[in-house]
Amino acid sequence: MDAALSLRFFPEFFLMSVERKSLEQREQMDDLSRLRHSCAHVMATAILRLWPQAQLAGGPPVENGFYYDIALDHAITPEDFEKIEAEMRRVVKANEPFRKEVVSREAAAELARSGRLGALSERGEPSRFKLEMLDDIPEGEEISLFYNGDFADLCAGPHVGRTGNCKAFKLLSVAAAYFKGDSSRESLQRVYGTCFKNSTALREHLEKLEEAKRRDHRRIGREMDLFQIDEAVGQGLVLWKPKGAVIRRELQEFITEELDRQGYSQVFTPHIGRLGLYQTSGHYPYYQESQYPPVVTREALKALADEGCSCAELNNRLEGGRVDGFLLKPMNCPHHIRIFASGHHSYRDLPVRLAEFGTVYRWEQSGELGGMTRVRGFTQDDAHIFCTQDQVAEEIRGCLDLVKVILGTLGMEDYRVRLSLRDPASDKYVGDPANWDKAEAALRDAVSGLGVEYTEELGEAAFYGPKIDFVVKDVIGREWQLGTVQVDYNLPERFDLQYVGSDNQPHRPVMIHRAPFGSMERFAGLLIEHFAGHFPVWLAPEQVRVLPVSDKTADYAGRVRAALAEAGVRVALDATADKIGAKIRRAQIDRTPYMLVLGPREEEEGTVAVRHSRRGDCGSPKLEEFVAMLRGEIDGRRR
RNA sequence: GCCGGUGUAGCUCAGGGGUAGAGCAACGCAUUCGUAAUGCGUAGGUCGUCGGUUCAAAUCCGACCACCGGCUCCA
């Protein structure tokens, strides 16, 4: 439900592994994917030479490489990589041709039963995964095998000509993956590797991975002292430290200005709400798994104790929502809805737009937590719009404009837009189908007017309404949902919301959930990576650092610092006895955008020697000129 | 939650059954210096936690916790 601002995550490799490609798509598979797919076979060949009993599942190419899923009693570790790679090099050197053979379903099944598929020879054990994968191939589709040397695999291809083409490869990691992505099935070892046309391209890719590590928001967050996640406080709970808090404050001010411009009303609501509120909304008890357990009142606890209620019974009643208490809010909409519901509304009052930086809590699985992008408590730049069906289109346009302005100002242009529509064949959706048609048309209309590419995904809508998501990639290529705009026909119904129309009759308003950042935590994390910590001046925790060349200009440096502070600039003074080179190096490492080098020359002329952390030497303007220039850059939120 | 890996000073890391190591950062002293590291010195750690084996555990074993990668999930 709400989803409003659900933080969704679609690993591309997962999609690729479960999607069945059409024949045409396979034909079009680009050269690099083909090469990587072949390299996966080379790796499988090598692994089977080392461990002939290995059972292979699937081994497709993925965005930056390939993997192969393997069941094996020996746990493959990075220490094995060298051994496997050495064996792979032998396979490559042998330059075996990839040979395709189209076979009947029965012939393939026979080979799988004899253990010959995904193997170097017949084995005592059947190729159990291949057998099942064979069953998944639709009737009528061609069934083909690929051979290289002794290795035979069930595979639709296509492949490169010979193993000798896979020259530049490297194994990267090993991880677990469930067979067919089903957590109730066997857990397999997934060995990841990458392959390029030549060693130069491979080296460049590996350097890119190293660079990505340096940009990782967890690393930069620590280096720049922006935030921490403290074991003593709790997993997935972010502490914004003073410097990180500056960034968040600036972002919130920025968005608040935009909201004021667009006619939003700001509200504040508490972090908790009564269980009944969430029973009305439908979030409790159905989504208990992803919530912190309720805060039960003393009275309720005492009554249960007096009754001699057992722990098991208490658990039952809690799960059934039969114990009174409060919930840490998993979303903000119910609170906002109650504000809307507190008064009568004429159609003339609509739309009502209630905005809040609202902090919500969700019990994410421990294995899913990480950095700022997946946490258990986060603040959404949330708002709920209550409007008539006729106003939906216009409101959606406004929401998208907002997202676009925000991402544009920050220069985050590398996102994709996903339009999630209902599955016409399903009947799980609430609301009038005619209204759905209108809402979907309005969303499509708005998003196509945005001037960015988008994909329509049927069946991806929430049951309560269609939505638009802005998805960006982090530094290691994982996709994260940021901004979202969602239409909701469900909650107005559940809370029996009404307004009086021009016909003097009660009508049901439509709700729109939207959050341009998604959450402050996730957004800040991705922003850190986007800028590699080199924030534009308006966001930088420390905007200017004053660097006297020696103690002789300490007084002048002090006056410059004071003048800047007076002008509302976040400025620091490096009064250490270090040489100027060391001071510059330190400011550079701290990613302070502007450094002012002040020596006798500047003091005499009333100037400042300006150095920018990325642009280098920017000349020596008069102090007043620099202040004016800086204020313009800050106030204009220029990048 | 699942599989695997990791956990030694604030950070990056070495070491490894017998008194805990380096570089950077911090602190002190000297240096007063012009665009990415001045020199010398000082201080800093129950080696993630708990338990076991041992004369002796940071080191070996087990459990737990946290982090990293992936899987699953994500109203």
Side-chain angles (χ1 to χ4, degrees), chain A residues 559-595:
Chain A
R559 289 200 298 280
V560 168
R561 195 210 66 83
L564 284 162
E566 185 61 29
V569 173
R570 295 187 287 269
V571 57
L573 171 65
D574 186 343
T576 60
D578 288 315
K579 298 211 283 193
I580 192 65
K583 294 185 186 186
I584 286 170
R585 179 181 147 79
R586 203 155 43 229
Q588 198 71 46
I589 287 170
D590 291 344
R591 300 175 176 86
T592 306
Y594 283 107
M595 291 160 256

Side-chain angles (χ1 to χ4, degrees), chain A residues 199-217:
Chain A
S199 55
T200 310
L202 174 64
R203 197 171 56 242
E204 277 169 12
H205 177 70
L206 295 177
E207 277 163 17
K208 241 175 70 185
L209 292 182
E210 287 302 310
E211 166 61 18
K213 265 194 215 159
R214 284 190 290 275
R215 289 177 92 97
D216 191 309
H217 75 276

